DNA sequence: CGTTTTTGTGCAATCGATTGTACAAGATTT
DNA sequence: AAATCTTGTACAATCGATTGCACAAAAACG
């Protein structure tokens, strides 16, 4: 096991110059003579010198690291966002430290603390399901820590964010159902305190109103957006009058539950029942029938929020941006909503 | 914007003691009097003191950070492994820096360099598809950098690893097909230089041999394990005699391609054709018919490899472990392979 | 009571890179 | 030729935490 790392001091010693000269030579400082500069750079290359990031970070007060907080890494959407961020950040010389909250607010607070503690240059996050109060985030923003949100953003806090237009996505989806001829459309909604679910509900309402259909509160069923939630919603839907002929779900997994339950009850999709989901989870392409859903452009979202951070980094600390980007969602029409009339 | 961080010097000044005493007090050094210790700890609490990780890392020569290299973060399997690692590492006070190779060997080399450069305490990786030569990894191991592999391990290098028993998984899957009465089983294989695909092929061969069926090379079709690869394999299969009655695919996406192509050709699954995949991708549960596959225990794999690292960290540098853990895969039997004879 | 041991704390160096300032030698100006 | 400017480099402080060593004061010992 050899000495692990070459330092500027090693190079300095070998060339009989000072470490500061080496440091400057490596940065192409104009005051360093061409001869010295070249000698240093050559030797650095020869020894494959790599600056110690920790030392440099300590001195410069920035770590070239971005903290990322997501509810779950293994959720397709988040994994895709992270993938997008990674490509951008890595090529800009940044690292990502990733934490998951598992939807718990105390995990979220812990993650924030450790990231601040690690002196990350920014935190990019999507808030947990449990997070209703945002004080723990606001405190950091007030301290001058750069925070960016994606997807599940927090409107009360002055911070940059990237999300898709959930309202539009929902609106397009419901309008599509209406165009197909479905009339009695139930909305299986997510928790109302999360902005994205609220926006989806609003998009639903907008489309329904626009079609001149009266809005009935009992047609909005809030459930956990998992297959079981979908099944529960289906049960509740069975008791409604008139009988629903379509379900617009705020999540694909809930839509899947509806699909399964409909099959169990002998209802044919899409003929007896139209179903649309939200998120374009990979499985939606392969269900029988394949499922209409809304793509959230996860990869692009990651790229955009990472870009936003990078643009911001270069500015002075005082003008921390708070641009709010909204991506257009894409309605993916598949068989579960195609009435061939 | 307030001063961002409290340091031991701030605490020292306030208590009129030296920074070194503060440092020791915080570490519960026995030489520090109870009175001082308590005063320091109280003040630290009051100001919410958090040690500067970079400073401490620089001094101690370890960063409390683990580098993770995966082909793609957004692949379900890898996202799950990472999720498992995260839970273990975070609660042990470690961070994860994540890099993806996108299956490119030059990305892999770049990631290794930046991670070494970031002074991570270990690198946990799954090698890229393109990686055939392992010198760039061996060099690091020889330098004393701790490397652990998971899933796509590199047998030539002395390093700890966690993988599932791919051979067994394949064997169980093919034996299951045989038990169901399928005889002419084609194997859609992955790239042979990747250990896991080789192992799956061997498992297939073992089951076939055990059943007393002659092994025919043309029945092993190497393809890219995506739906299109599956379709291509299906085409090739159509030309074989006798006609295959089942496909064991080294990946779920290829199995999906076969399923789709079979449907296009009017073949009924599982009656006319049995299909099994590998990986237990989420969608396999929802295809029609649902797909038999092998679960790779991704989350557990992440937990185990992270644990292996943690156990190793505490030991002296000289006895770097190279335990090789093999997890038992789980055959998930679903409809695509259930001949109800 | 003098000597040894223990206890509690501070000093200063260290990790490696960065950067303001100083300073000498050479180049340019007047 | 003296004064000024430019060029090239080194010194030393800094970022914040850690740690070997020194040393004084207190305690324990013979």
């Amino acid at each position: 096991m050899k000495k692990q790392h070459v330092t500027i001091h090693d190079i300095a010693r070998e060339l009989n110059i000072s470490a500061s000269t080496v440091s400057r030579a490596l940065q192409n400082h104009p005051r360093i003579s061409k001869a010295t500069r070249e000698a240093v750079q050559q030797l650095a290359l020869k020894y494959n010198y790599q600056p110690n990031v920790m030392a440099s970070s300590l001195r410069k007060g920035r770590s070239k690291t971005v903290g990322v907080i997501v509810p779950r890494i293994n959720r397709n959407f988040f994994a895709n966002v992270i993938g997008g961020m990674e490509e951008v950040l890595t090529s800009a010389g940044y690292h990502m430290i990733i934490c998951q909250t598992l939807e718990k607010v105390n995990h979220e607070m812990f993650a924030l603390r450790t990231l601040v503690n690690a002196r990350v240059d920014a935190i990019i996050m999507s808030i947990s399901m449990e997070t209703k109060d945002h004080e723990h985030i606001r405190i950091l923003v007030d301290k001058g820590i750069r925070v960016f949100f994606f997807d599940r953003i927090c409107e009360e806090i002055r911070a940059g964010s990237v999300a898709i237009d959930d309202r539009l996505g929902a609106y397009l989806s419901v309008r599509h159902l209406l165009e197909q001829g479905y009339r009695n459309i139930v909305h299986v909604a997510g928790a109302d305190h999360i902005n994205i679910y609220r926006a989806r509900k609003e998009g639903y309402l907008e489309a329904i109103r626009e079609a001149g259909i009266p809005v009935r509160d009992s047609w909005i069923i809030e459930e956990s957006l998992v297959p079981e939630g979908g099944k529960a919603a289906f049960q509740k839907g069975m008791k409604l009058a008139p009988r629903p002929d379509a379900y617009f779900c705020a999540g694909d997994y809930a839509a899947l539950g509806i699909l399964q339950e409909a099959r169990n009850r002998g209802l044919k999709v899409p003929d007896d029942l139209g179903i649309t989901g939200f998120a374009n989870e990979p499985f939606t392409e392969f269900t029988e029938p394949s499922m209409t859903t809304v793509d959230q452009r996860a990869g692009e979202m990651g790229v955009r929020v990472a870009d936003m951070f990078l643009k911001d980094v270069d500015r002075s600390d005082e003008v921390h941006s708070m641009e709010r980007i909204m991506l257009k969602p894409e309605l993916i029409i598949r068989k579960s909503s195609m009435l061939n009339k």
Side-chain angles (χ1 to χ4, degrees), chain A:
Chain A
M1 184 154 35
K2 319 165 204 169
K3 180 168 189 305
Q4 291 219 7
H5 298 284
V6 180
T7 73
I8 47 171
H9 299 280
D10 299 326
I11 295 179
R13 200 176 317 115
E14 179 147 346
L15 293 176
N16 274 316
I17 57 179
S18 78
S20 45
T21 301
V22 174
S23 173
R24 289 195 171 95
L26 291 169
Q27 301 171 69
N28 281 316
H29 187 109
R31 280 289 189 82
I32 301 298
S33 72
K34 205 172 163 195
T36 320
R37 195 182 323 170
E38 279 170 2
V40 168
Q41 292 182 351
Q42 230 174 67
L43 209 61
L45 209 63
K46 177 178 158 198
Y47 289 149
N48 188 28
Y49 165 78
Q50 300 286 107
N52 183 317
V53 185
M54 289 178 303
S56 143
S57 298
L58 175 60
R59 180 63 228 257
K60 298 210 275 200
R62 57 227 290 306
S63 58
K64 282 285 217 172
T65 300
V66 174
V68 178
I69 303 178
V70 293
R72 298 202 115 87
I73 297 167
N74 61 3
R75 279 265 294 280
N76 177 63
F77 170 72
F78 292 115
N80 275 297
V81 176
I82 292 174
M85 288 196 280
E86 200 271 349
E87 293 185 42
V88 174
L89 293 177
T90 297
S91 60
Y94 281 84
H95 292 305
M96 285 189 314
I97 293 182
I98 296 189
C99 304
Q100 50 186 351
T101 60
L102 305 176
E103 307 287 9
K104 306 250 176 63
V105 71
N106 63 332
H107 278 231
E108 184 172 283
M109 292 168 85
F110 177 79
L112 286 168
R113 208 174 324 123
T114 52
L115 290 178
V116 169
N117 192 213
R119 271 48 169 191
V120 295
D121 294 341
I123 293 173
I124 300 180
M125 68 185 296
S126 202
I127 59 179
S128 92
M129 216 71 148
E130 245 185 47
T131 305
K132 304 188 180 176
D133 173 79
H134 308 101
E135 266 318 291
H136 57 293
I137 305 173
R138 186 192 307 281
I139 289 168
L140 302 185
V141 175
D142 288 347
K143 267 192 195 163
I145 290 165
R146 286 165 208 269
V147 175
F148 298 87
F149 294 103
F150 69 92
D151 194 49
R152 300 197 199 153
I153 71 180
C154 173
E155 277 137 357
E156 295 85 358
I157 291 181
R158 213 188 111 71
S161 66
V162 181
I164 64 153
D165 190 338
D166 285 275
R167 182 191 172 102
L168 176 62
Y171 170 79
L172 291 174
S173 184
V174 176
R175 204 181 64 182
H176 158 73
L177 285 170
L178 290 163
E179 282 167 3
Q180 291 291 308
Y182 298 104
R183 285 291 119 181
N184 303 313
I185 305 174
V186 163
H187 174 39
V188 183
D192 208 60
H193 68 278
I194 305 281
N195 64 313
I196 56 176
Y197 297 127
R198 209 164 47 236
R200 290 174 199 176
K201 189 178 75 184
E202 283 164 10
Y204 161 80
L205 290 172
E206 190 178 335
I208 292 290
R209 279 200 202 97
E210 194 182 273
I213 298 177
V215 170
R216 285 154 298 196
D217 280 352
S218 57
W219 288 60
I220 297 174
I221 304 175
E222 189 173 316
E223 286 289 346
S224 171
L225 297 175
V226 295
E228 291 65 38
K231 290 181 184 174
F234 186 90
Q235 311 288 359
K236 292 183 189 164
M238 290 298 275
K239 296 181 190 147
L240 295 174
R243 189 69 65 78
D245 59 3
Y247 285 83
F248 161 61
C249 301
D252 282 334
Y253 280 94
L256 180 70
I258 305 245
L259 182 64
Q260 293 172 330
E261 200 65 10
R263 194 186 296 155
N264 292 344
R265 302 298 185 93
L267 288 182
K268 281 209 161 179
V269 177
D271 301 318
D272 303 331
L273 198 67
I275 301 178
T276 65
F278 209 108
N280 195 18
E281 293 282 346
F283 73 80
T284 55
E285 201 179 337
F286 311 127
T287 53
E288 187 54 41
S290 60
M291 199 185 296
T292 296
T293 186
V294 177
D295 186 79
Q296 297 176 284
R297 311 178 67 177
E300 192 180 341
M301 198 179 288
V303 168
R304 295 294 290 274
V305 72
D307 273 338
M308 184 183 283
F309 156 70
L310 290 176
K311 249 196 323 191
D312 204 57
V313 158
D314 298 329
R315 306 201 201 137
S316 100
D317 287 45
E318 304 309 319
V319 290
H320 184 179
S321 93
M322 59 152 295
E323 193 184 357
R324 294 196 193 279
I325 293 179
M326 270 228 181
L327 302 177
K328 292 265 165 291
E330 186 187 359
L331 179 64
I332 313 275
I333 298 174
R334 298 208 187 93
K335 293 188 189 150
S336 68
S337 64
M338 299 269 276
L339 266 189
N340 309 314
K341 288 181 187 166

